[in-house]
Each structure stands twice: as C-alpha cells, then as structure tokens.
Amino acid sequence: MKIKDDYLHCFSSIAEIFSRATGLAAMIVDVTGKAISDCYNFNSFCTLMRANETYRATCQKCDKYCAFEALKQVKPRILCCHSGLSIFSMPLIHEGNLYGFIICGQV
C-alpha cells in the first residue's frame, strides 16, 4: 500500500531530524516491533547489543512492548528496556489506522 510506505517514510525522515537535533536515538518500527528505518544516533552499547542476534531479539521485544504500552494510552510512553535504559514510544496513527511506532531514547 503506497500511502503506508509514504507515511512511514515521512516519519523516518522526521526521526532522523529529531535524532540529530536532540542527540537521542530514534527509529521507526512496524506493528510487529521490527525496525523499518535506520537506527539513528544509537549509542555504542545499543549498537553492539543489536548486532548480536540473541540480544537484538530481546531489544526488539522491548521496542514492541514499549510501543504497545504507548498505544494503550494513545500518547508517548516512557519505559526502561531490559538493559535499564529509558526509551519512549509514540504510535503512528493516520486516519484511524496504526502504521507503526517511533521509538526514541537510550538514556
């Protein structure tokens, strides 16, 4: 579906700009918690963790959990990941349809 791709691509660009402006890590994930954008400004610890298949799966579970906690309240949600870093998420909803989430943080 083209609108979905265009919509998420737009948010990927926003995530990159947000990351550059704030110094926080950011990425876009789909409704399954899988990263669909580059991982912008990730710290070396998180980059190393996500390079390992086992740890990456755990990171993705945290991303998904944080994302759906935000969806429950339809507003940004701040949580700690499995490694103790703070992350926050916001659902990306367009015309009532959930397309994915922006995940930020690593603080």
Side-chain angles (χ1 to χ4, degrees):
M1 176 162 38
K2 187 168 177 28
I3 188 167
K4 181 176 179 181
D5 293 341
D6 289 346
Y7 185 69
L8 290 177
H9 178 72
C10 174
F11 273 100
S12 179
S13 298
I14 291 169
E16 181 179 13
I17 293 166
F18 171 83
S19 181
R20 286 182 187 172
T22 64
L24 294 173
M27 71 176 171
I28 304 297
V29 299
D30 66 13
V31 295
T32 68
K34 180 182 173 195
I36 55 174
S37 74
D38 289 336
C39 299
Y40 304 109
N41 204 29
F42 272 42
N43 63 39
S44 57
F45 174 76
C46 292
T47 300
L48 184 62
M49 292 287 282
R50 288 176 185 267
N52 177 289
E53 187 175 325
T54 302
Y55 296 128
R56 180 176 51 250
T58 306
C59 293
Q60 288 172 336
K61 285 180 187 176
C62 287
D63 294 340
K64 185 176 180 179
Y65 178 76
C66 184
F68 280 94
E69 285 298 308
L71 183 61
K72 286 180 188 177
Q73 298 177 0
V74 193
K75 64 180 187 178
R77 179 69 191 218
I78 301 170
L79 297 169
C80 284
C81 75
H82 65 99
S83 295
L85 299 174
S86 294
I87 58 174
F88 62 96
S89 173
M90 189 170 111
L92 302 175
I93 300 171
H94 179 67
E95 295 180 352
N97 296 309
L98 176 65
Y99 288 94
F101 304 88
I102 184 166
I103 308 283
C104 305
Q106 299 178 345
V107 180

